[in-house]
Amino acid sequence: MGTGDGRFVLDQAKKFPHKLCIGLNAAADALRKSSLKTQTKSERGGVTNALFVWANVDSLPPELEGIASEITINYPWGSLLRSLVLPDLEVLRGIARLGRPGASLTLLINISVFDNPTYCQKLGLPLRKPEQLGDVLSAAYCEVGIEVKHTRLLGQNVPYRTTWGQKLTQGSGRRQTLVLDAIIR
Ligand SMILES: C[S@@+](CC[C@H](N)C(=O)[O-])C[C@H]1O[C@@H](n2cnc3c(N)ncnc32)[C@H](O)[C@@H]1O
């Protein structure tokens, strides 16, 4: 969800050829280049087990309900970040509906933004202490059947690379990522 340029989706599809990897993003332009790869044969650098969907998290396609065994949201921004950290329970229910029972949900959130209250307000984000965000979200997510198993704060050693993750964690200054691992009930 919020796949940006789709690099992570293509990487996962190559790494796990037996899986179908679906990337959803609100901005269609970002998906164009990676989408073309799904139309190209693998001998020519294409990826045949990936699919991209132009979709907003607040109105997800019903066709995708109940099909995911793993859901990943890497470095959300804009309305996606807002929905996840407020949190907006309706949006969370929509995300949870995508998963089969027992599906995993992994979030990687850049929390350095919470160090700057003025910027947070400008973005419509709630004011949160970065070190408390994991606990606040765990309690709220529980209400919609998303059971948070653990949360941790990481510096540069994030579990995998994405285009935005790389920009954020390799930039200057204090960059912290909240990793939240959950199960959909
Ligand atoms: C900072 S980028 C991260 C992109 C990618 N996950 C990465 O790590 O490189 C945030 C992405 O979230 C998408 N996004 C923002 N609001 C969204 C929404 N309401 N629904 C779906 N995607 C959204 C943006 O279009 C953008 O591609």
Side-chain angles (χ1 to χ4, degrees):
M1 177 72 58
T3 188
D5 65 5
R7 181 179 146 188
F8 175 74
V9 176
L10 294 179
D11 285 351
Q12 291 291 302
K14 285 183 194 158
K15 202 167 162 189
F16 302 105
H18 62 289
K19 290 185 183 174
L20 172 63
C21 301
I22 306 176
L24 296 94
N25 202 63
D29 276 353
L31 299 175
R32 230 173 278 283
K33 207 168 155 200
S34 288
S35 260
L36 288 175
K37 292 250 182 207
T38 68
Q39 306 295 313
T40 310
K41 290 186 179 150
S42 38
E43 312 81 91
R44 306 175 79 190
V47 179
T48 52
N49 59 326
L51 176 70
F52 289 94
V53 179
W54 178 19
N56 197 303
V57 74
D58 60 19
S59 52
L60 291 167
E63 294 89 334
L64 298 183
E65 283 181 16
I67 65 164
S69 51
E70 294 169 36
I71 301 172
T72 312
I73 309 180
N74 296 321
Y75 301 102
W77 201 246
S79 57
L80 180 56
L81 176 62
R82 226 173 9 255
S83 298
L84 293 169
V85 300
L86 276 170
D88 181 328
L89 295 185
E90 262 322 293
V91 167
L92 285 176
R93 277 193 190 96
I95 294 171
R97 273 198 297 271
L98 297 177
R100 302 173 187 171
S104 65
L105 171 67
T106 306
L107 302 188
L108 265 60
I109 300 179
N110 165 34
I111 53 161
S112 307
V113 64
F114 295 103
D115 289 333
N116 186 335
T118 314
Y119 193 42
C120 271
Q121 271 170 331
K122 199 172 142 197
L123 296 177
L125 297 174
L127 299 179
R128 301 264 189 240
K129 289 205 164 74
E131 59 283 6
Q132 290 174 354
L133 187 63
D135 288 341
V136 172
L137 297 188
S138 301
Y141 284 22
C142 193
E143 285 185 47
V144 295
I146 299 176
E147 188 184 324
V148 177
K149 291 291 184 187
H150 30 85
T151 61
R152 54 199 194 280
L153 286 178
L154 298 176
Q156 293 206 331
N157 300 323
V158 287
Y160 45 76
R161 303 278 161 206
T162 72
T163 302
W164 269 96
Q166 225 144 335
K167 281 186 202 170
L168 292 166
T169 54
Q170 291 181 357
S172 58
R174 193 165 87 89
R175 303 284 178 216
Q176 276 199 308
T177 298
L178 171 70
V179 182
L180 183 150
D181 291 306
I183 297 288
I184 293 170
R185 291 287 164 216

